[in-house]
């Protein structure tokens, strides 16, 4: 079973930045949908930033203007640039992709992001 590999998480102070990367299972051009989700302690998993084939993006209101989702075709990664981080951004972040023609999506194992002074 395919699994995504996420990297780039860690501990950062409020106001700081982190960049998460997710290695896609093959070419970015084979993906219909891709995105980053997060789940804080005691919370439900929520979509943070998503991208569709063709490049259209969507962001949750809580991160709009601070987070940017992008892809790197040379590295086959889906990246999430997170700026102006707040303590409430603390969560486990998950990468999610769905290949063109597939019904089910693939999840990563999750990576911890902690925003604290």
């Amino acid at each position: 079973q395919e699994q995504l590999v996420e990297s780039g998480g860690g501990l950062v102070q409020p106001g700081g930045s982190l960049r998460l990367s997710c290695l896609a299972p093959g070419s970015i051009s084979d993906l219909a949908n891709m995105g980053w989700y997060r789940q804080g302690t005691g919370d439900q998993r929520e979509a943070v930033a998503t991208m569709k084939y063709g490049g259209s993006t969507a962001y949750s209101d809580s991160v709009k203007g601070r987070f940017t989702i992008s892809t790197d075709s040379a590295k086959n990664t889906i990246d999430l640039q997170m700026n102006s981080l707040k303590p409430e951004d603390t969560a486990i972040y998950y990468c999610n992709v769905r290949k063109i023609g597939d019904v089910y999506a693939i999840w990563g194992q999750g990576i911890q992001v902690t925003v604290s002074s």
Side-chain angles (χ1 to χ4, degrees):
Q1 185 176 354
E2 290 178 308
Q3 192 171 35
L4 307 175
V5 178
E6 298 125 333
S7 61
L11 173 65
V12 65
Q13 292 188 341
S17 298
L18 279 176
R19 187 176 184 87
L20 304 182
S21 284
C22 171
L23 184 61
S27 174
I28 294 293
S29 61
D30 293 335
L31 303 180
N33 303 93
M34 62 210 83
W36 286 92
Y37 295 69
R38 69 184 181 189
Q39 187 168 16
T41 303
D43 296 333
Q44 289 189 334
R45 193 173 297 188
E46 63 170 351
V48 173
T50 59
M51 180 183 287
K52 292 183 178 180
Y53 182 89
S56 63
T57 59
Y59 298 89
S60 67
D61 287 343
S62 61
V63 307
K64 203 171 291 183
R66 300 188 297 121
F67 290 13
T68 304
I69 187 172
S70 62
T71 60
D72 186 327
S73 298
K75 298 179 181 178
N76 286 331
T77 59
I78 301 113
D79 302 321
L80 184 68
Q81 178 66 42
M82 304 185 293
N83 299 328
S84 302
L85 283 160
K86 305 175 181 180
E88 50 263 44
D89 294 319
T90 295
I92 298 175
Y93 284 70
Y94 298 88
C95 182
N96 175 282
V97 304
R98 183 174 63 82
K99 291 182 176 180
I100 295 171
D102 284 358
V103 174
Y104 297 103
I106 307 168
W107 287 93
Q109 79 283 1
I111 191 164
Q112 180 70 46
V113 171
T114 302
V115 185
S116 175
S117 55

